[in-house]
Protein backbone atom coordinates (compact mmCIF):
# COMPACT_ATOMS: atom_id res chain seq x y z
CA UNK A 1 0.00 0.00 0.00
CA UNK A 2 0.89 3.68 -0.07
CA UNK A 3 3.21 5.22 2.53
CA UNK A 4 3.20 8.97 3.08
CA UNK A 5 5.96 10.66 5.06
CA UNK A 6 5.59 14.26 6.24
CA UNK A 7 8.19 16.68 7.57
CA UNK A 8 8.68 18.56 9.76
CA UNK A 9 6.42 17.48 12.60
CA UNK A 10 6.53 20.97 14.12
CA UNK A 11 7.27 24.30 12.49
CA UNK A 12 7.45 27.73 14.11
CA UNK A 13 7.69 30.89 12.03
CA UNK A 14 7.39 34.60 12.58
CA UNK A 15 4.35 36.36 11.19
CA UNK A 16 5.02 37.39 7.61
CA UNK A 17 7.57 34.65 6.96
CA UNK A 18 7.01 31.69 4.66
CA UNK A 19 6.35 28.12 5.77
CA UNK A 20 7.11 24.98 3.78
CA UNK A 21 5.91 21.48 4.60
CA UNK A 22 7.15 18.51 2.60
CA UNK A 23 5.71 15.07 1.94
CA UNK A 24 6.90 12.01 0.09
CA UNK A 25 4.86 9.08 -1.14
CA UNK A 26 5.73 5.59 -2.28
CA UNK A 27 3.05 4.48 -4.76
CA UNK A 28 3.76 5.81 -8.25
CA UNK A 29 0.11 5.13 -9.13
CA UNK A 30 -1.13 7.77 -6.66
CA UNK A 31 -2.78 10.56 -8.61
CA UNK A 32 -4.34 13.02 -6.19
CA UNK A 33 -2.66 14.95 -3.38
CA UNK A 34 -4.75 17.10 -1.04
CA UNK A 35 -3.65 19.22 1.90
CA UNK A 36 -5.83 19.65 4.96
CA UNK A 37 -5.76 22.16 7.78
CA UNK A 38 -7.09 21.03 11.13
CA UNK A 39 -7.66 23.31 14.08
CA UNK A 40 -7.88 21.81 17.54
CA UNK A 41 -11.02 19.72 18.01
CA UNK A 42 -12.35 20.50 14.54
CA UNK A 43 -12.67 18.72 11.23
CA UNK A 44 -9.88 18.71 8.65
CA UNK A 45 -10.53 21.38 6.02
CA UNK A 46 -9.28 20.97 2.46
CA UNK A 47 -7.11 23.98 1.67
CA UNK A 48 -5.58 23.00 -1.66
CA UNK A 49 -5.08 19.92 -3.79
CA UNK A 50 -3.17 18.90 -6.86
CA UNK A 51 -3.57 16.17 -9.42
CA UNK A 52 -0.75 14.18 -10.91
CA UNK A 53 -0.98 15.85 -14.31
CA UNK A 54 -0.09 19.25 -12.80
CA UNK A 55 3.24 20.38 -11.35
CA UNK A 56 2.14 23.41 -9.37
CA UNK A 57 -1.03 25.04 -8.15
CA UNK A 58 -1.50 28.33 -6.33
CA UNK A 59 -4.36 29.89 -4.43
CA UNK A 60 -3.54 33.31 -3.00
CA UNK A 61 -0.96 32.73 -0.21
CA UNK A 62 -1.00 28.96 -0.57
CA UNK A 63 0.76 26.89 -3.21
CA UNK A 64 1.47 23.22 -3.73
CA UNK A 65 4.17 21.72 -5.91
CA UNK A 66 4.39 18.13 -7.11
CA UNK A 67 7.41 16.24 -8.39
CA UNK A 68 6.14 12.93 -9.74
CA UNK A 69 9.58 11.64 -10.61
CA UNK A 70 10.87 12.11 -7.10
CA UNK A 71 7.46 11.29 -5.59
CA UNK A 72 7.28 14.31 -3.35
CA UNK A 73 4.99 17.27 -2.95
CA UNK A 74 5.16 20.38 -0.83
CA UNK A 75 2.89 23.00 0.68
CA UNK A 76 4.05 26.60 0.64
CA UNK A 77 2.40 29.30 2.72
CA UNK A 78 3.60 32.85 2.18
CA UNK A 79 3.04 35.91 4.36
CA UNK A 80 1.99 33.72 7.26
CA UNK A 81 -0.52 35.01 9.79
CA UNK A 82 -1.29 33.85 13.34
CA UNK A 83 -4.56 32.37 12.10
CA UNK A 84 -2.56 30.00 9.91
CA UNK A 85 -1.53 28.23 13.13
CA UNK A 86 -2.96 24.68 12.99
CA UNK A 87 -2.02 21.13 12.16
CA UNK A 88 -1.53 20.51 8.45
CA UNK A 89 -1.88 17.06 6.90
CA UNK A 90 -0.79 15.97 3.47
CA UNK A 91 -2.40 12.97 1.83
CA UNK A 92 -2.11 10.86 -1.26
CA UNK A 93 -4.89 9.01 -2.95
CA UNK A 94 -3.80 5.53 -3.74
CA UNK A 95 -5.11 3.21 -6.37
CA UNK A 96 -7.30 1.26 -3.95
CA UNK A 97 -10.93 2.25 -3.40
CA UNK A 98 -10.12 5.94 -3.59
CA UNK A 99 -8.88 5.99 0.00
CA UNK A 100 -6.51 8.66 1.21
CA UNK A 101 -3.22 7.92 2.94
CA UNK A 102 -2.33 10.65 5.41
CA UNK A 103 0.97 11.97 6.64
CA UNK A 104 1.55 12.33 10.36
CA UNK A 105 0.82 16.04 10.37
CA UNK A 106 2.77 19.25 10.95
CA UNK A 107 1.97 21.56 13.84
CA UNK A 108 2.49 25.05 12.42
CA UNK A 109 2.76 27.92 14.88
CA UNK A 110 2.92 31.48 13.59
CA UNK A 111 4.15 33.98 16.19
CA UNK A 112 2.87 37.54 16.00
CA UNK B 1 -20.11 23.64 -1.05
CA UNK B 2 -20.23 20.00 -0.01
CA UNK B 3 -21.35 19.60 3.59
CA UNK B 4 -21.00 16.52 5.76
CA UNK B 5 -22.68 16.31 9.14
CA UNK B 6 -22.15 13.95 12.04
CA UNK B 7 -24.32 13.16 14.98
CA UNK B 8 -23.79 13.22 17.88
CA UNK B 9 -20.91 15.65 18.21
CA UNK B 10 -20.05 14.39 21.66
CA UNK B 11 -21.05 11.30 23.62
CA UNK B 12 -20.15 9.92 26.99
CA UNK B 13 -21.13 6.36 27.76
CA UNK B 14 -20.48 3.62 30.26
CA UNK B 15 -18.18 0.74 29.49
CA UNK B 16 -19.99 -2.14 27.82
CA UNK B 17 -22.65 -0.06 26.07
CA UNK B 18 -22.98 0.52 22.32
CA UNK B 19 -22.83 3.87 20.61
CA UNK B 20 -24.11 4.74 17.13
CA UNK B 21 -22.62 7.61 15.13
CA UNK B 22 -24.33 8.94 12.01
CA UNK B 23 -22.60 10.52 9.03
CA UNK B 24 -24.67 12.37 6.44
CA UNK B 25 -23.82 14.12 3.22
CA UNK B 26 -26.27 17.01 3.19
CA UNK B 27 -26.11 18.35 -0.32
CA UNK B 28 -24.54 15.61 -2.38
CA UNK B 29 -24.63 11.88 -2.90
CA UNK B 30 -21.70 9.68 -1.96
CA UNK B 31 -21.25 6.07 -3.00
CA UNK B 32 -18.32 5.80 -0.64
CA UNK B 33 -17.81 7.16 2.85
CA UNK B 34 -14.80 6.70 5.07
CA UNK B 35 -14.53 6.33 8.82
CA UNK B 36 -11.45 7.55 10.66
CA UNK B 37 -10.29 7.56 14.25
CA UNK B 38 -7.97 10.21 15.57
CA UNK B 39 -6.18 10.07 18.90
CA UNK B 40 -4.80 13.28 20.48
CA UNK B 41 -1.93 14.80 18.53
CA UNK B 42 -1.98 12.01 15.99
CA UNK B 43 -2.95 11.67 12.38
CA UNK B 44 -6.21 10.33 11.02
CA UNK B 45 -6.28 6.55 10.98
CA UNK B 46 -8.61 4.99 8.46
CA UNK B 47 -10.82 2.37 10.08
CA UNK B 48 -12.99 1.31 7.18
CA UNK B 49 -14.36 2.24 3.80
CA UNK B 50 -18.15 2.22 3.68
CA UNK B 51 -19.83 1.41 0.38
CA UNK B 52 -23.51 1.99 -0.25
CA UNK B 53 -25.35 -1.28 -0.63
CA UNK B 54 -22.43 -3.54 0.18
CA UNK B 55 -20.22 -4.60 3.05
CA UNK B 56 -17.65 -2.24 4.42
CA UNK B 57 -13.96 -2.82 3.85
CA UNK B 58 -12.04 -2.75 7.11
CA UNK B 59 -8.41 -1.83 7.60
CA UNK B 60 -6.05 -4.36 9.07
CA UNK B 61 -6.37 -4.53 12.83
CA UNK B 62 -9.87 -3.06 12.97
CA UNK B 63 -12.44 -5.51 14.34
CA UNK B 64 -15.45 -5.58 12.06
CA UNK B 65 -17.64 -7.14 14.76
CA UNK B 66 -16.81 -4.34 17.15
CA UNK B 67 -17.15 -1.45 14.71
CA UNK B 68 -20.30 -2.11 12.74
CA UNK B 69 -20.81 -0.04 9.62
CA UNK B 70 -24.05 0.32 7.72
CA UNK B 71 -24.24 2.42 4.55
CA UNK B 72 -27.98 2.48 4.10
CA UNK B 73 -28.25 5.12 1.38
CA UNK B 74 -26.19 7.45 -0.78
CA UNK B 75 -26.32 10.09 1.95
CA UNK B 76 -26.08 8.14 5.20
CA UNK B 77 -23.52 5.87 6.82
CA UNK B 78 -23.52 4.78 10.46
CA UNK B 79 -20.77 3.49 12.69
CA UNK B 80 -21.75 1.53 15.80
CA UNK B 81 -19.12 0.96 18.45
CA UNK B 82 -20.30 -2.17 20.23
CA UNK B 83 -19.43 -3.00 23.83
CA UNK B 84 -17.36 0.15 24.12
CA UNK B 85 -14.38 0.23 26.45
CA UNK B 86 -12.24 3.14 27.69
CA UNK B 87 -9.59 2.42 25.05
CA UNK B 88 -12.23 3.16 22.39
CA UNK B 89 -12.37 6.77 23.58
CA UNK B 90 -11.31 8.85 20.61
CA UNK B 91 -12.36 11.38 17.98
CA UNK B 92 -14.27 9.61 15.20
CA UNK B 93 -14.51 11.42 11.88
CA UNK B 94 -16.26 10.44 8.68
CA UNK B 95 -15.65 11.73 5.19
CA UNK B 96 -17.45 11.46 1.89
CA UNK B 97 -16.63 12.02 -1.75
CA UNK B 98 -19.28 13.50 -4.06
CA UNK B 99 -20.14 11.16 -6.91
CA UNK B 100 -20.29 14.15 -9.23
CA UNK B 101 -16.72 15.10 -8.40
CA UNK B 102 -15.28 11.86 -9.71
CA UNK B 103 -14.39 10.66 -6.26
CA UNK B 104 -11.35 12.87 -5.75
CA UNK B 105 -12.20 15.37 -3.05
CA UNK B 106 -13.13 14.14 0.40
CA UNK B 107 -15.14 16.32 2.72
CA UNK B 108 -15.03 15.64 6.41
CA UNK B 109 -17.71 15.67 9.02
CA UNK B 110 -17.19 17.68 12.23
CA UNK B 111 -16.28 14.58 14.18
CA UNK B 112 -17.71 12.80 17.22
CA UNK B 113 -15.86 12.88 20.50
CA UNK B 114 -16.47 9.55 22.25
CA UNK B 115 -15.61 9.16 25.90
CA UNK B 116 -16.10 5.75 27.48
CA UNK B 117 -16.09 5.73 31.26
Amino acid sequence: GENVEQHPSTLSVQEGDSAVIKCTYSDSASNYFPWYKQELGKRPQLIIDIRSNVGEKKDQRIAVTLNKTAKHFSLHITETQPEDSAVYFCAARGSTLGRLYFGRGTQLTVWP
Amino acid sequence: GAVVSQHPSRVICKSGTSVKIECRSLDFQATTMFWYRQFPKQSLMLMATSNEGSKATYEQGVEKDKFLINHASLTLSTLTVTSAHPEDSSFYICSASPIAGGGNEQFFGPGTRLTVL
Side-chain angles (χ1 to χ4, degrees):
Chain A
E2 174 67 280
N3 181 43
V4 177
E5 300 281 345
Q6 182 173 346
H7 298 280
S9 56
T10 61
L11 179 59
S12 292
V13 300
Q14 203 73 34
E15 182 178 5
D17 289 349
S18 295
V20 180
I21 302 170
K22 298 181 178 181
C23 288
T24 61
Y25 62 99
S26 61
D27 187 354
S28 56
S30 290
N31 57 12
Y32 174 67
F33 307 91
W35 285 88
Y36 290 89
K37 174 184 179 182
Q38 186 179 31
E39 298 177 357
L40 189 63
K42 297 192 176 180
R43 76 182 85 194
Q45 296 271 15
L46 178 69
I47 57 172
I48 197 167
D49 57 12
I50 192 168
R51 287 162 175 72
S52 58
N53 59 346
V54 177
E56 183 174 359
K57 184 177 178 180
K58 189 173 182 180
D59 182 4
Q60 298 182 335
R61 297 187 296 109
I62 296 173
V64 57
T65 59
L66 170 65
N67 184 326
K68 285 176 55 180
T69 303
K71 294 205 280 290
H72 67 70
F73 56 112
S74 301
L75 177 71
H76 304 253
I77 306 174
T78 58
E79 301 173 32
T80 54
Q81 301 165 1
E83 47 267 38
D84 293 331
S85 298
V87 178
Y88 290 81
F89 292 99
C90 65
R93 189 180 78 164
S95 51
T96 306
L97 295 176
R99 63 160 292 179
L100 292 176
Y101 293 82
F102 283 87
R104 290 179 176 270
T106 297
Q107 173 69 62
L108 173 64
T109 303
V110 181
W111 299 101
Chain B
V3 179
V4 177
S5 70
Q6 261 182 262
H7 179 79
S9 58
R10 187 180 296 269
V11 59
I12 301 173
C13 68
K14 293 182 178 180
S15 184
T17 59
S18 294
V19 175
K20 179 186 282 189
I21 303 169
E22 290 186 350
C23 177
R24 293 181 185 273
S25 56
L26 298 185
D27 52 1
F28 66 93
Q29 293 184 325
T31 305
T32 303
M33 292 184 175
F34 302 87
W35 286 96
Y36 296 85
R37 182 167 49 183
Q38 187 176 35
F39 292 106
K41 296 187 177 181
Q42 292 191 21
S43 188
L44 293 92
M45 294 175 55
L46 181 66
M47 300 174 65
T49 301
S50 170
N51 300 295
E52 187 266 338
S54 64
K55 292 182 179 180
T57 302
Y58 290 82
E59 293 299 301
Q60 191 173 7
V62 178
E63 299 175 57
K64 62 180 180 181
D65 295 329
K66 180 171 181 61
F67 299 99
L68 301 179
I69 291 174
N70 184 357
H71 197 141
S73 74
L74 290 173
T75 58
L76 173 64
S77 176
T78 61
L79 168 68
T80 302
V81 183
T82 62
S83 187
H85 291 285
E87 56 266 30
D88 297 324
S89 299
S90 188
F91 192 49
Y92 291 85
I93 314 177
C94 69
S95 73
S97 294
I99 295 174
N104 275 331
E105 294 184 23
Q106 281 191 29
F107 296 93
F108 285 84
T112 297
R113 176 76 59 192
L114 171 63
T115 303
V116 185
L117 302 176

